[in-house]
Amino acid sequence: MTATASLVKPILQVQELKKYFPIRTGVLSRVSGHVKAVDGVSFDIRPGETFALVGESGCGKSTTGRTILRLTGANGGTVYYNGEDVLAATGDRMRHLRKAMQIVFQDPYSALNPRMTVGSAISEILHVHGIASGNQARDRVEELLVRCGLEAYHSWRYPHEFSGGQRQRVVIARALALDPQFIVADEPISALDVSIQSQIINLLEELQDAYQLTYLFISHDLSVVRHMADRVGVMYLGKLVEVADKKEFYRKPLHPYSQALLSAIPVSDPSIKKKRIILQGDVPSPANPPPGCPFHTRCPYVMDVCRNVVPELKTNPAGHQAACHLVNPVS
Ligand code: SF4
């Protein structure tokens, strides 16, 4: 992180965000426990930045994105967007935030109504938010589709008439309809053919430049993140375990979990020898996380202290954060 970058006021501030899902058992569906999908996550995103959240499936990265947008309720913490309290907003303020903060989902097919032409689906959003209707809305829809690499006549088509890549372009056009500043891109290419993934990544980058968009980019693919992100946050079992500037993260990951994830990225040059770190065991259940460091059941460097004391996410002078007793010894 450069000194200038650290002085820029964040557009999004997430503090101690929590999302717990109740576990219900028995005939009376009594709550017998909670799945701690997001457990005290804090980070900032600066305007125009791409902040990537990475981690294995089930680590809580998608739930974090959805909780920030209030697509699911939070159990604790705060989210501020441009200084406005997102989790407490109501009425007109919430409508304003809904316009400014959008999402692109992983599966473009289930994100679209199969019974509506894409033109009707996007026009409806413009109409509901009082932005445009009639011919004005139609013109705006066509402009958005063309901006996203489709043709104006595609507005008359139904979702099943598109390829996967085209459908994701429609979903992106829909997300842009309300002129948002901030977009959660939740695994936006993982359901797509490898051959078209790069086209969608290029489109997201072009749109970011054209509209000064800020992205929360959620992905399990560290090669794509390396291309796309400015900063990276690594999640494990509902917690952030490392946050760093992209270059710093790929050059010298501090957390043993990040080191294992990065060691699994294939290299294109066969002359480069790379030691793969194979993690033993499965990810523990977020319904019953282990005490101490959440990673201690799989960490190759586990120490006694790791089994009892939760490591704090601490920041080094270079602005690199890690939650590990090896990096930040308990004094
Ligand atoms: Fe491994 Fe201990 Fe660091 Fe956790 S705190 S990552 S168990 S060394």
Side-chain angles (χ1 to χ4, degrees):
M1 180 169 45
T2 64
T4 327
S6 65
L7 294 175
V8 178
K9 202 162 169 258
I11 192 170
L12 188 86
Q13 293 169 289
V14 179
Q15 275 297 322
E16 286 297 315
L17 190 66
K18 294 190 176 89
K19 175 65 194 176
Y20 298 166
F21 293 100
I23 302 167
R24 296 182 185 277
T25 47
V27 187
L28 298 175
S29 289
R30 289 223 165 88
V31 176
S32 59
H34 287 90
V35 172
K36 296 182 174 179
V38 181
D39 195 15
V41 164
S42 305
F43 61 89
D44 292 346
I45 308 184
R46 293 183 283 271
E49 183 179 47
T50 298
F51 182 82
L53 266 188
V54 305
E56 288 163 296
S57 167
C59 68
K61 53 193 190 304
S62 290
T63 308
T64 301
R66 283 158 202 242
T67 312
I68 287 170
L69 297 183
R70 274 180 64 179
L71 299 180
T72 181
N75 293 92
T78 57
V79 176
Y80 282 88
Y81 176 79
N82 267 336
E84 191 152 353
D85 188 342
V86 176
L87 302 185
T90 54
D92 282 351
R93 294 320 302 161
M94 195 56 222
R95 267 190 290 282
H96 165 75
L97 288 168
R98 288 246 180 266
K99 280 195 209 170
M101 306 168 80
Q102 289 288 314
I103 186 165
V104 173
F105 291 103
Q106 173 178 1
D107 178 2
Y109 197 65
S110 57
L112 295 166
N113 184 340
R115 292 192 195 86
M116 283 177 109
T117 62
V118 303
S120 310
I122 300 175
S123 299
E124 187 181 50
I125 293 170
L126 295 170
H127 183 67
V128 166
H129 285 270
I131 290 173
S133 55
N135 287 347
Q136 229 187 346
R138 195 196 59 212
D139 291 348
R140 174 77 177 134
V141 169
E142 291 180 357
E143 181 192 324
L144 285 164
L145 292 176
V146 170
R147 187 69 193 79
C148 291
L150 296 165
E151 302 289 342
Y153 67 80
H154 283 134
S155 67
W156 299 102
R157 295 203 172 159
Y158 288 88
H160 73 268
E161 297 178 88
F162 292 94
S163 68
Q166 286 178 319
R167 268 199 293 272
Q168 195 57 301
R169 288 177 189 272
V170 171
V171 170
I172 294 169
R174 187 181 61 177
L176 287 180
L178 301 175
D179 276 331
Q181 293 171 294
F182 172 69
I183 293 181
V184 174
D186 185 5
E187 301 267 13
I189 58 163
S190 60
L192 305 178
D193 228 57
V194 177
S195 58
I196 46 172
Q197 289 184 349
S198 60
Q199 294 173 17
I200 297 298
I201 289 296
N202 291 342
L203 174 64
L204 288 171
E205 288 184 321
E206 276 167 41
L207 295 171
Q208 183 171 40
D209 287 346
Y211 301 114
Q212 287 81 50
L213 297 171
T214 304
Y215 290 142
L216 172 59
F217 187 80
I218 296 168
S219 180
H220 64 276
D221 186 336
L222 283 164
S223 305
V224 174
V225 166
R226 180 174 216 156
H227 176 79
M228 189 80 191
D230 296 304
R231 282 189 306 136
V232 183
V234 182
M235 283 189 76
Y236 186 80
L237 225 55
K239 291 183 185 294
L240 264 179
V241 296
E242 182 157 5
V243 179
D245 177 79
K246 175 182 67 179
K247 278 197 190 125
E248 186 66 10
F249 176 72
Y250 282 87
R251 188 183 70 81
K252 194 167 185 275
L254 297 180
H255 196 281
Y257 177 58
S258 311
Q259 291 164 3
L261 290 180
L262 286 172
S263 79
I265 302 180
V267 284
S268 50
D269 183 349
S271 66
I272 298 175
K273 291 272 175 285
K274 205 170 155 192
K275 188 165 176 281
R276 170 107 193 247
I277 303 168
I278 310 276
L279 293 177
Q280 303 298 325
D282 294 326
V283 182
S285 164
N288 187 21
C293 171
F295 187 56
H296 88 248
T297 54
R298 302 169 82 199
C299 180
Y301 310 109
V302 61
M303 305 171 286
D304 281 347
V305 63
C306 308
R307 297 191 175 90
N308 304 305
V309 182
V310 180
E312 283 176 47
L313 190 68
K314 287 195 177 164
T315 311
N316 75 12
H320 193 148
Q321 295 179 293
C324 173
H325 295 308
L326 270 183
V327 184
N328 309 304
V330 182
S331 49

